[in-house]
Amino acid sequence: MYDIAIVGGGVAGRSAGIFTARAGLETVILSADESILARNAHLENYPGFPGGVDARTYLELLREQAAEAGCTTVADRIVAVTPRAENPSVTPREDGSPEAGFVLEGENESYAARRVIAASWPDSEYLTPLDVGRRQRGSKHVVQTAETGRTAVDGVYAAGRIADEPHQAIVAAGHGSKVALAAVQDSETAFYHDWVAPAGYFTGRDRDVPPACEEIDDAERRRRDERARERLRDALAEPNDERPTMHPNVDRD
């Protein structure tokens, strides 16, 4: 059984996955469609890219980062989420956990997870078996949440646009990360901050390095910096020839 199942592989979903996986939670991202950000012609308001960045290149880097953090990605469309106790169709791994969790029914197969993060704008129909509280917004529905992304159902969260957050990539990334941290907290995983500090930052004050933190020496810092610059050079060396996805309502003929 997965610790976290994230429905939606866009900016909010993969940002959430980076944090849950780095916290040591077994995370699966279930995604059937490309991110709506793929419709963007050029991403120009994302902090850290003063000249902007090709949206498809950004999404490729995000997918790579989530994978390196430890996320598993499965291409499947989720059609229903039910409490595991009410749906015995999946027999998850038994490891003594008292948390019953949920069954996510996909078009291809079913999945079991202790916690679910919905990040699948505009689709939220699969949540109707759960009384999470959906509100109509135009022709679509958003999920009602607390500030942390928690819904009315314990163990179910919503992140990004589906949680009625603004339709901006940086907001989706930030909210997905914030919701992930709520899920990490609820899992009772030992966690302080996801923070890489210079050697001595904690131990130099006679403190143990807190959970999810790390101290690295200067040689390791330089090694990681070189690797990061090399990855960016490779990603940005050539133009991305993939064209933006047009809005489905536009006649392409």
Side-chain angles (χ1 to χ4, degrees):
M1 179 164 66
Y2 292 102
D3 295 312
I4 303 284
I6 299 172
V7 184
V11 178
R14 292 194 191 273
S15 297
I18 288 169
F19 275 83
T20 58
R22 283 176 58 87
L25 298 177
E26 189 173 358
T27 301
V28 63
I29 297 173
L30 302 161
S31 180
D33 300 310
E34 67 179 4
S35 169
I36 287 180
L37 186 61
R39 301 177 187 177
N40 179 273
H42 194 247
L43 183 56
E44 297 188 341
N45 58 3
Y46 202 96
F49 294 94
V53 63
D54 182 88
R56 284 137 299 281
T57 297
Y58 166 77
L59 287 170
E60 288 175 7
L61 289 168
L62 183 59
R63 285 190 290 268
E64 289 178 13
Q65 188 172 0
E68 291 191 8
C71 294
T72 298
T73 296
V74 178
D76 201 355
R77 184 180 304 280
I78 300 303
V79 297
V81 178
T82 55
R84 197 184 94 195
E86 299 177 9
N87 189 336
S89 63
V90 172
T91 304
R93 185 183 67 215
E94 295 298 335
D95 57 5
S97 170
E99 299 177 87
F102 302 89
V103 170
L104 297 90
E105 299 286 354
E107 291 182 341
N108 299 329
E109 58 181 290
S110 297
Y111 312 86
R114 294 185 176 88
R115 289 178 171 78
V116 177
I117 299 176
S120 52
W121 182 256
D123 179 23
S124 63
E125 289 298 315
Y126 59 89
L127 293 173
T128 53
L130 303 172
D131 191 15
V132 296
R134 296 195 309 154
R135 182 177 73 254
Q136 190 159 0
R137 194 177 190 278
S139 62
K140 303 176 177 69
H141 288 80
V142 296
V143 178
Q144 295 174 290
T145 68
E147 183 182 351
T148 55
R150 296 180 177 94
T151 71
V153 176
D154 288 345
V156 179
Y157 312 78
R161 186 63 169 160
I162 200 174
D164 207 18
E165 291 293 315
H167 207 9
Q168 299 290 300
I170 187 62
V171 176
H175 194 250
S177 303
K178 181 178 181 177
V179 172
L181 292 175
V184 171
Q185 180 183 33
D186 292 347
S187 74
E188 299 185 355
T189 297
F191 187 88
Y192 178 67
H193 292 305
D194 189 338
W195 182 262
V196 180
Y201 186 90
F202 296 106
T203 55
R205 294 178 285 151
D206 295 324
R207 290 185 57 187
D208 292 334
V209 178
C213 294
E214 181 183 11
E215 287 188 352
I216 60 173
D217 61 21
D218 199 56
E220 177 62 12
R221 179 187 67 81
R222 292 178 181 277
R223 187 192 71 79
R224 295 189 189 187
D225 178 66
E226 174 57 33
R227 178 175 178 270
R229 288 186 288 115
E230 182 179 353
R231 295 289 296 277
L232 287 175
R233 283 194 298 266
D234 290 344
L236 301 175
E238 300 292 337
N240 192 318
D241 293 330
E242 187 178 352
R243 297 178 62 83
T245 300
M246 185 50 68
H247 192 284
N249 290 343
V250 173
D251 187 356
R252 295 176 179 151
D253 293 335

